[in-house]
Amino acid sequence: MKEQKIKLMQMLTTAVKGLDNLETLVPVVRQLGARHIGYGVKPEHYGTVAAALLWTLERGLGDAFTPETKEAWVVVYGILAATMQEGAASGAAAGA
Ligand code: HEM
């Protein structure tokens, strides 16, 4: 779980930094989604992870977790999850 948390946060950092460079980011996120099929991840699991992420951010950031900050995370996570599921559904391969 410890390693898993690091991987998730590294990917989220990459995603947030890549928001201004979507052409590069989207294929990487689609491939990530396709790999998640092999990890046994189903579309409904994305909501569970979203809830866990928001819960963690709320407790970690305290007062800094303003409604605007929460909304920004909801939007970014939603785009990531949708792009991953799109990649999973289309069987995005490396380089696709
Ligand atoms: C925005 C959402 C998510 C992001 C950014 C994310 C990111 C990652 C990354 C970067 C990895 C490392 C392996 C790789 O690059 O292929 C990984 C692995 C994994 N993820 Fe996710 N993930 C997300 C959602 C989920 C969800 C919804 C589940 C299911 C509850 C999940 C379960 C797993 C599992 C089981 C692994 C493999 C662990 C291992 O064997 O090392 N992930 N994820």
Side-chain angles (χ1 to χ4, degrees), residues 9-75:
M9 292 318 291
Q10 278 172 344
M11 186 61 204
L12 287 171
T13 306
T14 305
V16 170
K17 285 187 181 158
L19 285 177
D20 295 327
N21 195 1
L22 282 180
E23 282 133 74
T24 313
L25 186 62
V26 167
V28 173
V29 175
R30 286 171 62 94
Q31 287 158 25
L32 178 66
R35 287 200 298 277
H36 274 67
I37 292 190
Y39 305 149
V41 176
K42 305 264 184 289
E44 60 267 27
H45 296 151
Y46 283 88
T48 310
V49 168
L53 176 66
L54 292 172
W55 186 92
T56 305
L57 287 169
E58 190 179 347
R59 270 143 197 87
L61 294 177
D63 288 345
F65 196 60
T66 62
E68 290 78 12
T69 307
K70 182 176 179 178
E71 178 61 18
W73 276 104
V74 167
V75 170

